[in-house]
Amino acid sequence: QVQLQESGPGLVKPSETLSLICSVSGGSITSSTYYWGWIRQPPGKGMEWIANFYYGGNPYYNPSLKSRVTISTDTSENQFSLRLTSVTAADTAVYYCARRSDAYGDFYDYWGHGTLVTVSS
Amino acid sequence: DIVMTQSPDSLAVSLGERATINCKSSQTVLSSSNNMNYLAWYQHKPGQPPKLLISWASTRDSGVPDRFTGSGSGTSFTLTISSLQAEDVAVYYCQQYFSFPGTFGQGTKLEIK
């Protein structure tokens, strides 16, 4: 069974760059069957879709974050990463990585537990 | 972006009773080309990853008990738990994936009365 695990700093200073890694086990991120994505949930608010990709294709980014977000992969480690630049307090959230297995619908069947990132000086 | 609004924000139901959670979208999520509703439901228990319950408005994911039923079309959807079990205590979210980017409801917290 596929498992996803987020990791990264829990505290980032304003204006700096947030970097998170999603480690995947039980499935390969290079499989063309799946998309892999990032979703976040600010405290007390609803979830926000950030970005996704499938291996070998172009990534998709939320237009509201597109200028600051980058997804990358490390196939040797079966990991993918999120990079969010110029963070502010509004980027404080629990960040989840997740897998999409449906070819036509952008919903997610496996999620990580999430990692809280606080933006504060 | 399509705005998803859930009601109620919280709900307390007795064990064995029916629980109903509503989700409304600001625009239709029904595709005229394939007559499918692009709507998913998730269950999120404390300390656990969110779990996909239902996709395409009414299709249960593998292993989801049949007491969970998704219904509705267009802009109005419902998640029904026919007979509440203790393990169903969680926050439930709807998500539309008809329009890019996908958007989520604010969540409904379900508790035992």
Side-chain angles (χ1 to χ4, degrees):
Chain A
Q1 181 169 332
V2 66
Q3 292 186 321
L4 300 94
Q5 179 67 57
E6 306 87 351
S7 60
L11 181 64
V12 180
K13 290 182 168 56
S15 80
E16 295 190 345
T17 296
L18 179 161
S19 295
L20 296 174
I21 292 172
C22 181
S23 301
V24 178
S25 59
S28 174
I29 65 168
T30 63
S31 170
S32 59
T33 304
Y34 305 117
Y35 285 71
W36 306 91
W38 289 97
I39 295 151
R40 70 180 182 179
Q41 184 171 28
K45 297 186 178 181
M47 294 189 191
E48 179 181 30
W49 184 94
I50 301 172
N52 73 7
F53 74 100
Y54 67 90
Y55 189 74
N58 292 322
Y60 297 89
Y61 298 122
N62 190 319
S64 68
L65 298 168
K66 187 174 183 177
S67 63
R68 300 193 292 129
V69 173
T70 306
I71 278 186
S72 58
T73 60
D74 182 343
T75 57
S76 66
E77 297 291 337
N78 208 37
Q79 296 173 336
F80 61 99
S81 301
L82 174 73
R83 188 169 177 268
L84 181 66
T85 62
S86 305
V87 298
T88 70
D91 295 309
T92 293
V94 176
Y95 286 76
Y96 297 94
C97 58
R99 187 192 81 171
R100 163 188 162 181
S101 57
D102 192 282
Y104 303 104
D106 192 25
F107 54 88
Y108 295 85
D109 57 353
Y110 283 96
W111 296 59
H113 280 78
T115 186
L116 174 62
V117 178
T118 301
V119 178
S120 175
S121 55
Chain B
D1 295 0
I2 294 179
V3 177
M4 306 300 290
T5 304
Q6 292 181 228
S7 62
D9 289 334
S10 63
L11 180 63
V13 175
S14 300
L15 290 173
E17 296 299 306
R18 179 187 302 261
T20 302
I21 298 170
N22 301 299
C23 175
K24 291 190 184 298
S25 57
S26 61
Q27 304 169 40
T28 187
V29 299
L30 172 63
S31 171
S32 57
S33 62
N34 61 10
N35 203 37
M36 298 289 284
N37 287 285
Y38 286 55
L39 192 286
W41 288 97
Y42 299 90
Q43 176 191 65
H44 193 191
K45 297 180 181 180
Q48 296 187 22
K51 173 184 169 67
L52 175 67
L53 293 176
I54 287 170
S55 59
W56 304 110
S58 60
T59 302
R60 282 186 214 93
D61 198 37
S62 176
V64 174
D66 61 7
R67 65 179 180 273
F68 291 91
T69 301
S71 61
S73 185
T75 62
S76 183
F77 300 89
T78 299
L79 175 68
T80 303
I81 307 172
S82 60
S83 177
L84 189 70
Q85 305 299 302
E87 62 264 32
D88 300 334
V89 170
V91 179
Y92 292 84
Y93 296 93
C94 60
Q95 178 218 352
Q96 69 79 21
Y97 45 94
F98 178 74
S99 174
F100 179 81
T103 50
F104 294 80
Q106 81 278 15
T108 295
K109 185 175 184 179
L110 177 59
E111 299 173 310
I112 304 295
K113 185 187 292 184

